[in-house]
Amino acid sequence: MGAVRDDDRPELQPPILQGLGQAVPQVDPPLALRARVLATVAGAPTARPEAARSAVWVLATAASLVLAAGLGLYTSQLRGRIGALESELGDARARAAAAEQRAIDAQQAVAGTRVALAVLTSPDVARIDLAGQAVAPRASARAYWSRSRGMVFTASNLPALPPGRVYQLWVLTAQPAPISAGLLMPDAQGGVNETFNTPSDIPQPVALAVTIEVAGGVQSPSGEKYLVGTVVGA
Amino acid sequence: MWVFLAAVLGSPATLENRQADQASLARIARGDQAAFAELYDRHARLVYSLALRILQDRADAEDIVQEVFAQVWAQAGRYDASRGAVAAWMLMLTRSRAIDKLRAKRARPEAATDPDAAESVMDVAAAQDLELLSAEQVTRLQRALKELPEAQRTALELAYYEGLTHVEVAARLAEPLGTVKTRIRQAVMKLREVLSE
């Protein structure tokens, strides 16, 4: 036996070579595989006299190999096609989900616009202008409030929120405790356009204020005031 | 020593099994599809199990079964019964084809030029001294494999079931080449010792 080179494959002689093949866990092949394998020789001539079979045998063998190769190729193509279809299905699902989200967004926008229109055209609408405070002198806001229809609130130039913080809109009434109207998340330019439903039995507002609070909002204002405005004639 | 095909086929180990295989092969050589089906029923499980162990993929293992049986059909007439058991020859075909497929899947550049890739087209002329182990030998071998130190068993399995060279096994395990060669040699010696008992 010659020298063993480092890049040689380890020498595994019979019976170890055979034994390792036999020692694997035994698993039954799928039943459908039997039909596929037998189909590779289907149509091949059955037993014939030895003398007459040579040429036909070669053809039959070639045909069976071609058939086997063809089946293998077909199977491979089928797998590829299934993979492509699954990929297309995934893309289609993603597009459907995106379209659904856009539809929801559009419905919400339409609903908000309807509320805004209802508030602005309400006979009992009142306008409240809010001015920026010391921490946000350039900020300003305007609210239209209707006891029966709700509130439309627009603001501009609000400073960008630090992480974990949110603006909160408060309705101040004759009662000592301010009432939270909702949370405000300004856009990149510091703008806000929101509509709120306010309870119809709310006491007469005397002022509105916007404070900065922890994300999620608070029960009563605790942060610094950014906008304040009084209700004219309240 | 006569082989006991039932070691892996679940039936009593008999000389008749080997003779039945040879008889089936002779009939297959004459184009007998029923004999082909009989051979499939006797050995598909053996072939599929080894292919699955090597490829770890059911669809790929099924492809190998198809290829091996297609080769048996094509080469049955050239098989020399004196060279060994039919089932052992089929195991050799299975391992070679499965390892070739594994290499192709991993797109290793040497797959196309590796001289050992010639195993993949190994025909009946190359098959000799092929015998299956008896049921009792297989059991002993399985037990001995379990009892091997894990490092030795892993190195041996990479060499046999993935067809890796010493260098490749060393790279895969991030171990020195000498260490890997020693582990494989020790594992082979232990298994050989167990089989000779």
Side-chain angles (χ1 to χ4, degrees), chain A residues 6-10 15 17-23 26-28 30 34 36 41 44-47 53 64 79, chain B residues 29-31 33 41 45 49 59 62-63 73 92 103 114 116 131 133 141-142 160-161 163 165-167 177 181:
Chain A
D6 288 344
D7 58 348
D8 278 342
R9 299 190 192 289
L17 192 59
Q18 293 303 321
L20 290 174
Q22 292 174 251
Q26 295 297 297
V27 182
D28 286 323
R34 184 179 193 275
R36 291 217 312 269
V41 299
T46 52
R53 76 183 174 91
S64 68
R79 273 196 216 128
Chain B
R30 294 193 297 273
Q33 293 168 21
D41 291 338
R45 188 170 187 244
S49 299
E62 290 176 30
D63 287 347
W73 175 263
M92 291 291 289
R103 288 177 188 153
D114 185 350
D116 285 337
E131 300 293 345
L133 303 189
L141 189 71
Q142 288 170 329
Y160 179 80
Y161 295 116
T165 65
H166 287 112
V167 171
L177 177 62
K181 291 170 81 170

Side-chain angles (χ1 to χ4, degrees), chain B residues 167-178:
Chain B
V167 171
E168 289 168 331
V169 174
R172 179 78 69 86
L173 300 177
E175 296 280 4
L177 177 62

Side-chain angles (χ1 to χ4, degrees), chain B:
Chain B
M1 182 183 68
W2 291 110
V3 296
F4 297 96
L5 295 181
V8 291
L9 301 177
S11 60
T14 61
L15 167 62
E16 284 72 25
N17 284 333
R18 177 179 171 144
Q19 291 174 330
D21 281 348
Q22 290 174 352
S24 294
L25 214 59
R27 288 164 56 202
I28 290 169
R30 294 193 297 273
D32 189 330
Q33 293 168 21
F36 185 68
E38 290 168 12
L39 195 72
Y40 177 90
D41 291 338
R42 281 201 294 275
H43 299 309
R45 188 170 187 244
L46 182 65
V47 170
Y48 180 72
S49 299
L50 178 56
L52 186 60
R53 170 63 181 82
I54 291 172
L55 289 162
Q56 304 289 315
D57 182 284
R58 290 181 179 276
D60 287 341
E62 290 176 30
D63 287 347
I64 295 298
V65 173
Q66 275 193 284
E67 291 175 13
V68 166
F69 276 91
Q71 188 170 353
V72 168
W73 175 263
Q75 297 190 337
R78 294 163 53 199
Y79 188 80
D80 180 356
S82 67
R83 290 178 181 270
V86 173
W89 170 50
M90 293 174 67
L91 270 184
M92 291 291 289
L93 296 179
T94 303
R95 176 174 178 263
S96 297
R97 286 183 174 276
I99 287 175
D100 279 353
K101 194 174 189 79
L102 194 64
R103 288 177 188 153
K105 284 180 73 175
R106 290 174 179 168
R108 286 184 3 190
E110 69 266 32
T113 55
D114 185 350
D116 285 337
E119 285 182 347
S120 66
V121 292
M122 182 182 73
D123 60 17
V124 290
Q128 51 188 336
D129 300 328
L130 300 176
E131 300 293 345
L132 287 187
L133 303 189
S134 69
E136 190 267 336
Q137 282 179 310
V138 170
T139 303
R140 269 193 279 151
L141 189 71
Q142 288 170 329
R143 192 183 305 128
L145 277 170
K146 282 182 186 170
E147 290 171 357
L148 282 177
E150 187 175 350
Q152 286 182 20
R153 184 173 59 249
T154 301
L156 180 69
E157 288 181 343
L158 286 173
Y160 179 80
Y161 295 116
E162 298 193 28
L164 300 187
T165 65
H166 287 112
V167 171
E168 289 168 331
V169 174
R172 179 78 69 86
L173 300 177
E175 296 280 4
L177 177 62
T179 303
V180 164
K181 291 170 81 170
T182 302
R183 284 176 183 168
I184 293 176
R185 187 169 60 248
Q186 288 173 337
V188 169
M189 286 172 61
K190 176 62 180 172
L191 299 184
R192 194 176 289 154
E193 182 183 315
V194 166
L195 290 177
S196 63
E197 284 173 356

